[in-house]
Amino acid sequence: MAKAAKHDSLAAIPGTLVLVGAGKMGGAMLEGWLARKLPPKKIVVIEPQPSKAIKALGKRGVRINPKGDIGKAAAMVIAVKPQTAPDALPPLSALADSKTAVVSIMAGRTLGFLEKHFSKSAVVRAMPNTPAAIGRGITVAVGNARVTASARKLAHGLLAATGSVEWVDDEALMDAVTAVSGSGPAYVFLLAEAMAQAGEAAGLPPALAEKLARQTVAGSGELLRRSPLPAATLRQNVTSPGGTTAAALEVLMGNDGVPPLMTKAVAAATRRGKELAG
């Protein structure tokens, strides 16, 4: 897995950038681009139901659902739900040509599926995750044979606006990527939810149990991010032999505990990703 160079500014992006779908993820990416000095007048947003926040960007120069010909796009980012793709993509073909970098963040939709609609374009399939909303996401991307060094640089810059970016050469890895990092935030939120419920069951007031669980998960995540140590080492550092943590981990790491359950969960999500691809 290769990591491309970091790009801080998008001020010099050539031509028009078309964002198709400005929901939570598309909107987060848009905010990231503007923060990285992408000129608002270069952005076209196609969104049937733009939120108030998206509409407000029109005052800054972002073109929202413009009428008439907008010309060919230098880049197009597709952020619609994968189930809507068969209807959403055909009208977009006219906006892309051999000079357009098409970046899709639709789960399950393959490069082959995208190439049916953008046969002349450099196409990138990417999977971000929801921490992108606060600039702390991670995205994994794979490109088709038409992705040149310049197209990859452009796609990387757009994706990096919401966090770190990793590239893979084998598209077959993308379903597992989706299962681990794309769906992963939900697993972490479930952990916080379960910890709060367990704390309440142990006698803590609900509000305190909620706060303890939330702050513990958030703080531990930040420690994991900052520390060079493996997660296993950090876990061991918290665990005194024969202590309270060891007693809990004996349950959590048992034969029916977290490790086998997580393996089954990621496998289920990976299978579903393949099903979505058709």
Side-chain angles (χ1 to χ4, degrees):
M1 183 178 290
K3 182 188 289 186
K6 192 174 182 180
H7 304 282
D8 292 325
S9 176
L10 294 172
I13 187 173
T16 300
L17 166 62
V18 177
L19 172 63
V20 185
K24 291 182 180 179
M25 188 61 70
M29 296 181 76
L30 177 55
E31 290 289 351
W33 300 334
L34 293 171
R36 293 200 175 192
K37 305 187 185 305
L38 177 61
K41 65 181 180 180
K42 288 188 175 183
I43 304 173
V44 169
V45 175
I46 300 175
E47 169 55 60
Q49 298 179 319
S51 66
K52 290 182 180 180
I54 297 299
K55 289 179 180 178
L57 294 177
K59 296 179 180 179
R60 295 172 58 182
V62 175
R63 289 175 284 168
I64 303 170
N65 298 323
K67 304 295 183 182
D69 184 19
I70 63 172
K72 300 296 183 181
M76 179 187 299
V77 177
I78 302 173
V80 300
K81 289 180 171 57
Q83 296 89 338
T84 68
D87 294 324
L89 265 56
L92 302 175
S93 299
L95 302 179
D97 60 15
S98 60
K99 297 180 180 180
T100 305
V102 177
V103 181
S104 165
I105 64 169
M106 296 184 294
R109 291 303 185 180
T110 65
L111 290 173
F113 172 85
L114 295 163
E115 287 170 340
K116 292 177 182 178
H117 302 279
F118 306 103
S119 59
K120 298 179 180 179
S121 301
V123 178
V124 173
R125 175 185 174 187
M127 175 47 56
N129 61 7
T130 54
I134 58 171
R136 294 282 294 278
I138 184 166
T139 299
V140 178
V142 61
N144 71 353
R146 293 182 178 274
V147 175
T148 61
S150 60
R152 175 164 161 155
K153 180 178 179 180
L154 174 55
H156 186 98
L158 294 171
L159 295 169
T162 56
S164 59
V165 181
E166 299 285 340
W167 289 80
V168 296
D169 297 323
D170 183 1
E171 187 184 6
L173 297 175
M174 292 301 290
D175 292 315
V177 164
T178 302
V180 174
S181 61
S183 301
Y187 314 156
V188 177
F189 300 147
L190 175 61
L191 173 62
E193 182 183 0
M195 285 176 64
Q197 292 172 348
E200 187 175 349
L204 291 174
L208 179 59
E210 169 74 18
K211 185 171 185 178
L212 291 177
R214 180 184 289 260
Q215 290 298 107
T216 298
V217 169
S220 299
E222 183 64 16
L223 176 59
L224 181 62
R225 186 182 77 89
R226 295 188 185 189
S227 176
L229 298 175
T233 300
L234 293 173
R235 168 179 55 76
Q236 292 162 2
N237 289 347
V238 183
T239 310
S240 300
T244 58
T245 306
L249 288 178
E250 187 175 349
V251 176
L252 292 173
M253 299 179 70
N255 293 334
D256 57 350
V258 172
L261 280 176
M262 186 60 69
T263 298
K264 290 171 62 177
V266 169
T270 301
R271 286 196 301 272
R272 182 55 181 155
K274 296 181 186 300
E275 291 169 359
L276 287 172

